Amino acid sequence: MKKHRKSAISLIMLALASVLLLSACGAGNTAPNSGSSATEQRPAASQSATKEASVELENMGVKMVFPEAPKRAITLNQHATEVMLALGLESSMVGTAYLDDSILPEYKAQYDKIPVLAKQYPSKEVFMAAAPDFAYAGWKSAFNDKNLGSREELAKQGVATYVQESSNKPGPTLEDVYQDILNIGRIFRVEDRAKKLVSSIREQVESIQTQIGTVEKAPKVFVYDSGEDKPFTAANNYLTSLIKSVKAKNIFDDVDKSFAEVSWEEVVKRNPDVIVILDYGDTSLADKEKLLLSKPALAGVEAIKNKRFVVLPLSAAAEGVRAPIALKTLASGLYPDKVK
């Protein structure tokens, strides 16, 4: 009896052991499947987390969507190039074009690594040969039939475009320039850099304005761009905004154009205290000064009598990162006893 009981117990234990063994084997077979399923889901979740959100914005009336940051950008016009370099985006650039003068020294090392496609606007063939996915122009004239073609045509060829809006609207302000910088920051997913850059420019502008302090009577400024028989001058544009920022007045700010041809008689009538000469192009600074000083009609103008000239490179007068340079130049010329 005892032997039968022991045998029965042994058989039961053996059966239990078999069941446990089969369960363990079953668990071992299903574990990889469960683990595999979890592993497959993790990358999917990770991809979802790292996928860039589309950036949507409107530029010069064109609604744009950027599913991802451009990787092969070409800049057209110096102030657009310097915005990109100031944001540290040189690795996303495959070409530049159209300098007004020398690139800012702090960006030269970055600039020298990027191919220069043309002295002015490149041909369509040269432009497309660089295989761009984005083109950033300072002036809307870049995108016409004479130059690179319309924005619509380029979009069909896979090239998104952005035009510096502050350069192509009436009466732009520093705030408009800041918005362009912030837009480029959004497009390239470097919003923090863009905000930091705008903050830095603001601080420098405020520092210059603090140095100027109170101004009892705003100095009257005439901007001389070019022209012999009739002067070509800045009117209702960014330069007027810069002049206003240093508590002065452009004598032709009432003309409803960006730049305008006026008369020497009107310059005499408005009698500027200071003449800002834009230094660029084939006519040298010395020749421009000589012309102004030799005009008999201007002899009685305050700026001519006192030889009060402020020289501003054209690049500093463009809507980009050079606002502090332009304002410091203007302020030191207008208020030499306050701003050095």
Side-chain angles (χ1 to χ4, degrees):
M1 214 39 205
K2 288 181 180 177
K3 287 182 179 180
H4 288 301
R5 193 177 297 148
K6 286 181 180 179
S7 298
I9 291 170
S10 298
L11 287 169
I12 291 169
M13 291 182 69
L14 183 61
L16 287 171
S18 299
V19 169
L20 290 172
L21 182 60
L22 287 170
S23 297
C25 291
N29 288 334
T30 58
N33 291 334
S34 300
S36 176
S37 176
T39 303
E40 287 169 6
Q41 289 172 7
R42 273 193 218 107
S46 176
Q47 286 170 8
S48 175
T50 58
K51 185 180 179 181
E52 293 181 353
S54 288
V55 168
E56 298 182 17
L57 54 82
E58 187 171 315
N59 172 233
M60 299 291 292
V62 178
K63 292 183 179 179
M64 311 178 70
V65 179
F66 293 88
E68 61 181 5
K71 295 177 176 61
R72 299 185 62 81
I74 291 176
T75 53
L76 308 157
N77 306 117
Q78 183 162 342
H79 53 303
T81 298
E82 290 182 345
V83 167
M84 290 283 286
L85 296 178
L87 292 175
L89 293 169
E90 61 275 8
S91 62
S92 299
M93 299 169 67
V94 295
T96 66
Y98 220 136
L99 288 189
D100 296 313
D101 49 50
S102 299
I103 206 81
L104 282 171
E106 56 263 45
Y107 307 136
K108 190 175 187 306
Q110 300 160 261
Y111 176 78
D112 287 345
K113 296 175 183 177
I114 305 165
V116 176
L117 303 184
K119 186 176 180 180
Q120 296 185 350
Y121 291 131
S123 67
K124 293 178 183 179
E125 292 75 19
V126 168
F127 175 80
M128 292 306 297
D133 60 4
F134 181 75
Y136 174 19
W139 310 106
K140 61 183 179 182
S141 58
F143 303 124
N144 60 28
D145 291 336
K146 179 183 176 183
N147 294 312
L148 298 176
S150 72
R151 299 178 71 182
E152 293 77 13
E153 289 170 355
L154 289 171
K156 290 176 182 177
Q157 298 177 71
V159 184
T161 55
Y162 186 91
V163 178
Q164 190 83 341
E165 197 147 350
S166 55
S167 298
N168 296 273
K169 65 185 296 185
T173 65
L174 282 168
E175 292 299 324
D176 294 315
V177 178
Y178 298 154
Q179 189 57 58
D180 276 316
I181 294 171
L182 294 172
N183 284 348
I184 295 299
R186 286 185 63 208
I187 291 169
F188 283 87
R189 279 57 167 186
V190 291
E191 293 97 327
D192 288 345
R193 293 184 209 170
K195 290 175 183 177
K196 187 176 179 180
L197 176 58
V198 167
S199 178
S200 173
I201 295 173
R202 282 187 193 278
E203 289 174 6
Q204 293 176 72
V205 169
E206 289 169 4
S207 174
I208 294 166
Q209 291 173 328
T210 299
Q211 290 177 60
I212 294 170
T214 303
V215 175
E216 293 183 4
K217 185 180 179 182
K220 294 184 294 181
V221 176
F222 166 56
V223 179
Y224 177 64
D225 178 287
S226 57
E228 295 188 23
D229 296 333
K230 290 184 177 182
F232 192 60
T233 187
N236 184 27
N237 66 8
Y238 179 59
L239 260 174
T240 293
S241 180
L242 292 177
I243 291 167
K244 187 176 180 180
S245 294
V246 292
K247 305 178 183 181
K249 177 180 173 58
N250 179 359
I251 62 172
F252 287 107
D253 63 1
D254 59 329
V255 177
D256 193 22
K257 290 183 179 180
S258 179
F259 279 85
E261 192 175 67
V262 295
S263 67
W264 292 114
E265 290 76 16
E266 196 62 31
V267 173
V268 173
K269 181 180 177 181
R270 301 189 183 203
N271 194 20
D273 301 301
V274 177
I275 296 176
V276 172
I277 302 175
L278 295 184
D279 184 16
Y280 77 100
D282 297 330
T283 305
S284 69
L285 173 63
D287 285 341
K288 288 185 178 183
E289 287 187 359
K290 184 179 178 181
L291 173 72
L292 292 168
L293 291 170
S294 65
K295 284 278 182 186
L298 299 180
V301 169
E302 287 298 316
I304 297 295
K305 287 194 297 184
N306 299 314
K307 293 185 179 180
R308 292 196 66 188
F309 299 129
V310 176
V311 179
L312 199 63
L314 184 61
S315 56
E319 298 81 353
V321 299
R322 296 193 182 217
I325 297 172
L327 292 179
K328 184 71 177 288
T329 302
L330 290 169
S332 59
L334 292 165
Y335 315 104
D337 56 330
K338 294 182 178 182
V339 183
K340 304 297 182 183

